[in-house]
Amino acid sequence: MTTAKRWTSRLFAIALPALLLAAPARALVTTGTPTALHSDTDGDAEADRQAVSREIERFRGSPISISQAMAIAESRHAGATTADVSFDGASGVPVYRVKTLHNDRIWRHTINAATGELVGGEAALPLAELDHEDRDNLAALGTIRHRLADAVRVAERAASGKAISGGLVREHGRLNFAIVVISGDDLKEVILEPPGARTK
């Protein structure tokens, strides 16, 4: 087991509404590495650990939270919902990269993690240009009652930390929210299955 894998853990929770009402009664913690924070190095465990540590330090020093970044991006288009969000501390200015769904388009926003300002313009991609799996996942996102913002709140509470990224994943035919949370010096990936997510 590598050093990077030892310091991460994966927290699975069964269903989002139960977690919204109470602390998770059933959670299984296993070892894993959140893919959202993988380094581009050639498997060098020490380089991976250092890259993740730098990213975490920049994240901790950023006054804008992931929830605030999502709200800023969603406010650009009335009725938009976040499909994916991640912190990027590798560039000169730490930013959140937020993808929102609105009117059959995916909108890409870059939000300054220090000021909350939109960096550059917006970019939109019609859903028709996405691959079949991505279109299915985003269509399912529109049918479920809970939003990524709800999943972030639940994951932060369940893992006792602050979310650094979140998005949609499909596991075993079910659409889930996957949230990476920094808890102390650990990274935890929380998988939440929203009710109403269709099987495929």
Side-chain angles (χ1 to χ4, degrees):
M1 179 184 302
T2 67
T3 304
K5 286 188 178 183
R6 263 193 298 249
W7 30 283
T8 61
S9 60
R10 190 170 169 120
L11 177 67
F12 291 95
I14 301 302
L16 189 57
L19 291 173
L20 287 170
L21 297 174
R26 295 183 222 181
L28 172 66
V29 180
T30 59
T31 303
T33 302
T35 55
L37 292 178
H38 274 294
S39 167
D40 290 334
T41 61
D42 295 331
D44 181 353
E46 182 59 23
D48 284 348
R49 188 190 64 72
Q50 290 176 1
V52 170
S53 292
R54 281 191 300 275
E55 191 88 356
I56 289 171
E57 285 311 308
R58 294 199 85 185
F59 173 75
R60 285 184 171 146
S62 298
I64 301 297
S65 71
I66 202 167
S67 295
Q68 290 170 309
M70 287 190 292
I72 291 165
E74 289 175 359
S75 72
R76 305 284 301 169
H77 303 279
T81 186
T82 300
D84 186 80
V85 59
S86 61
F87 178 81
D88 181 356
S91 57
V93 175
V95 296
Y96 289 99
R97 303 205 183 276
V98 186
K99 293 178 186 170
T100 60
L101 176 63
H102 183 256
N103 285 347
D104 293 327
R105 291 183 179 272
I106 284 290
W107 294 84
R108 294 184 181 138
H109 313 273
T110 303
I111 308 294
N112 185 310
T115 65
E117 295 173 346
L118 187 66
V119 177
E122 296 176 304
L125 180 67
L127 291 182
E129 294 183 21
L130 300 176
D131 67 32
H132 181 68
E133 183 179 345
D134 287 340
R135 279 196 314 270
D136 284 351
N137 288 350
L138 292 168
L141 178 64
T143 67
I144 57 180
R145 192 174 47 140
H146 296 288
R147 300 164 58 100
L148 185 58
D150 299 321
V152 163
R153 282 191 298 277
V154 171
E156 287 178 334
R157 198 169 52 220
S160 301
K162 292 194 151 256
I164 191 169
S165 70
L168 297 169
V169 295
R170 192 170 286 275
E171 290 187 358
H172 309 295
R174 300 285 303 184
L175 186 66
N176 298 315
F177 291 119
I179 315 296
V180 177
V181 176
I182 297 173
S183 179
D185 291 332
D186 295 328
L187 295 175
K188 296 180 180 178
E189 187 172 26
V190 181
I191 303 296
L192 300 164
E193 181 183 306
R198 290 182 239 168
T199 55
K200 189 171 169 161

